[in-house]
Amino acid sequence: MEVKSTRMMKVVIATGGTGGHIFLGKTIGDMLESKGVEVIYITTSKGLGTQLLPTERTYVHRFYGISCIRDVVKAIFVVVPAFIHILRIYKAEHPSLVIGTGSYPSFVPMLVAVTLSIPTVMYEVDAVPGRVTRLLCRYIDKLLLAFPEARDKLGGGEVVGIPLRMSILKLNRNCTLTDRPHILVMGGSQGAKQLTQLGIKLAQALPEYDFTIITGTRIWDKVSDVKLPNLQLIPFTTDMASIYSNTQLVIGRAGALSLAEFSYLGIPAILIPFPYATQDHQYYNALHFNEGAIILREFEVTIDKLMDAIRYLLSDTSTYHQKCKAMREATTGINPEVLYDSIRELIFR
């Protein structure tokens, strides 16, 4: 029986929105390319997709949310043009598989693929499934999940975890406390004004610790002139491995990809879920790691509470090692090679 060559295969990855969804799509794409599969990306001009995905292999469509599908008039003027645009892309590229990362930019590409009977894979990264996943999950060929909690809510799906970048997988981080522990404060790919402000105040109040704050580009101009001997401010970086390698504690939101990364490395955390996340999904993401993290609602966060949490996690070696172990045991991070066995049958269908 003749075996198809992977070099004949082409896969579309539809992603966009937050950095977490985009890095997920790019990680899957890199893995497939290492197998000889040609990868095409589809994203929207809104968000980081056009900045982080390879320009020469990325199509951009105009679709900025799925709430419009409830309004017939809006759907006609928004969904239909995007549908036609994606349809033309598929007719030109002839993909053998379409993978969506569950974010809103993947909705129309997945919908068109289902309509054309192109094999489909949906990847849901959050503990609470998003609207795109809930709308399309019954029509797709394979549903991959990061959290077992999502399977409970959907009544099915394959829990595989979140594929991590090779730079993270190769990082060998020891679970040790240094004389001057290093604390990373980050608010996701878009940054978080409140977390940045809290991080600066913590650096002022705790000179015995070193801090790095990833501010996000939106508020960089407002804080870039802050100078403290124990504080490094950066607007954005794709080289998280270098930062994690010297980090003993993370203070951050509860985006799925970030959680997968620092839990895989066994870094304890103080998690402050974004309070306006759809269906409060960041809070439920955080609950999965409650043995290795301290979870605080944004409305209850104070400098004193944060200082107490930092000292609790970093002042005792035994406690720190326990939290490191708990984070590793709860991790959703995986090697992307694991995915290939799950999806190769669809690529070659």
Side-chain angles (χ1 to χ4, degrees):
M1 182 172 62
E2 182 181 355
V3 178
K4 295 182 181 179
S5 167
T6 57
R7 297 186 184 280
M8 299 171 58
M9 299 297 103
K10 185 179 293 185
V11 172
V12 165
I13 297 178
T15 188
T18 66
H21 288 101
I22 297 165
F23 285 127
L24 169 64
K26 183 64 167 56
T27 298
I28 297 172
D30 289 345
M31 179 273 293
L32 290 175
E33 287 180 339
S34 75
K35 305 295 184 183
V37 177
E38 185 177 352
V39 175
I40 301 296
Y41 297 95
I42 297 180
T43 189
T44 71
S45 57
K46 185 178 180 180
L48 297 171
T50 55
Q51 301 174 40
L52 300 177
L53 296 172
T55 304
E56 69 279 4
R57 289 184 287 114
T58 300
Y59 288 96
V60 180
H61 71 96
R62 295 178 60 84
F63 182 75
Y64 303 139
I66 66 170
S67 59
C68 65
I69 64 174
R70 296 179 179 177
D71 186 315
V72 175
V73 175
K74 285 184 179 179
I76 292 174
F77 287 98
V78 178
V79 178
V80 172
F83 190 99
I84 294 172
H85 184 199
I86 302 300
L87 183 64
R88 289 172 177 167
I89 293 172
Y90 290 172
K91 292 295 185 182
E93 296 290 352
H94 303 289
S96 57
L97 175 67
V98 177
I99 301 174
T101 63
S103 56
Y104 70 85
S106 68
F107 174 69
V108 177
M110 293 295 285
L111 182 63
V112 177
V114 168
T115 303
L116 295 177
S117 297
I118 300 171
T120 50
V121 173
M122 178 69 82
Y123 214 121
E124 176 55 61
V125 298
D126 291 309
V128 179
R131 191 179 300 170
V132 171
T133 298
R134 287 185 281 111
L135 282 171
L136 295 178
C137 64
R138 71 185 66 180
Y139 306 109
I140 62 174
D141 294 288
K142 179 159 286 193
L143 175 62
L144 300 180
L145 308 171
F147 291 88
E149 293 87 345
R151 180 179 56 194
D152 297 338
K153 292 178 173 62
L154 291 169
E158 180 182 351
V159 180
V160 293
I162 298 179
L164 301 180
R165 292 170 277 184
M166 290 308 299
S167 59
I168 302 296
L169 295 173
K170 293 178 180 178
L171 185 60
N172 184 18
R173 177 189 173 274
N174 294 321
C175 184
T176 56
L177 282 174
T178 61
D179 293 335
R180 285 186 61 85
H182 179 259
I183 300 171
L184 169 63
V185 181
M186 61 179 185
S189 59
Q190 303 299 314
K193 181 179 179 181
Q194 182 176 8
L195 264 62
T196 295
Q197 293 172 337
L198 287 168
I200 292 172
K201 291 178 181 178
L202 287 170
Q204 293 170 330
L206 298 170
E208 67 271 28
Y209 298 105
D210 290 323
F211 288 81
T212 293
I213 302 176
I214 303 176
T215 68
T217 55
R218 291 182 300 180
I219 62 171
W220 172 248
D221 291 340
K222 298 179 181 179
V223 298
S224 59
D225 59 346
V226 176
K227 306 296 180 185
L228 293 170
N230 64 331
L231 174 63
Q232 177 189 26
L233 291 168
I234 55 177
F236 182 75
T237 181
T238 58
D239 185 17
M240 288 303 300
S242 295
I243 295 179
Y244 286 142
S245 65
N246 189 38
T247 294
Q248 279 73 54
L249 175 66
V250 173
I251 301 174
R253 296 300 195 189
L257 182 66
S258 296
L259 287 169
E261 289 181 342
F262 56 74
S263 65
Y264 180 86
L265 298 171
I267 305 175
I270 300 170
L271 300 176
I272 308 171
F274 180 54
Y276 305 108
T278 306
Q279 300 181 88
D280 206 14
H281 68 258
Q282 285 206 2
Y283 174 70
Y284 292 100
N285 289 352
L287 285 181
H288 181 81
F289 301 90
N290 65 340
E291 295 295 326
I294 294 174
I295 303 170
L296 296 174
R297 290 293 203 171
E298 187 168 290
F299 67 84
E300 65 181 351
V301 172
T302 64
I303 290 295
D304 288 339
K305 282 189 177 182
L306 286 174
M307 290 172 62
D308 288 344
I310 289 170
R311 288 173 174 143
Y312 167 71
L313 292 169
L314 297 181
S315 296
D316 178 73
T317 300
S318 176
T319 298
Y320 185 73
H321 286 173
Q322 178 185 351
K323 296 298 182 181
C324 288
K325 180 181 178 182
M327 288 301 281
R328 284 197 173 114
E329 290 177 347
T331 189
T332 52
I334 61 169
N335 190 313
E337 293 285 332
V338 173
L339 296 182
Y340 190 62
D341 291 336
S342 292
I343 66 176
R344 65 179 299 171
E345 63 185 59
L346 294 174
I347 298 176
F348 297 110
R349 177 182 289 185

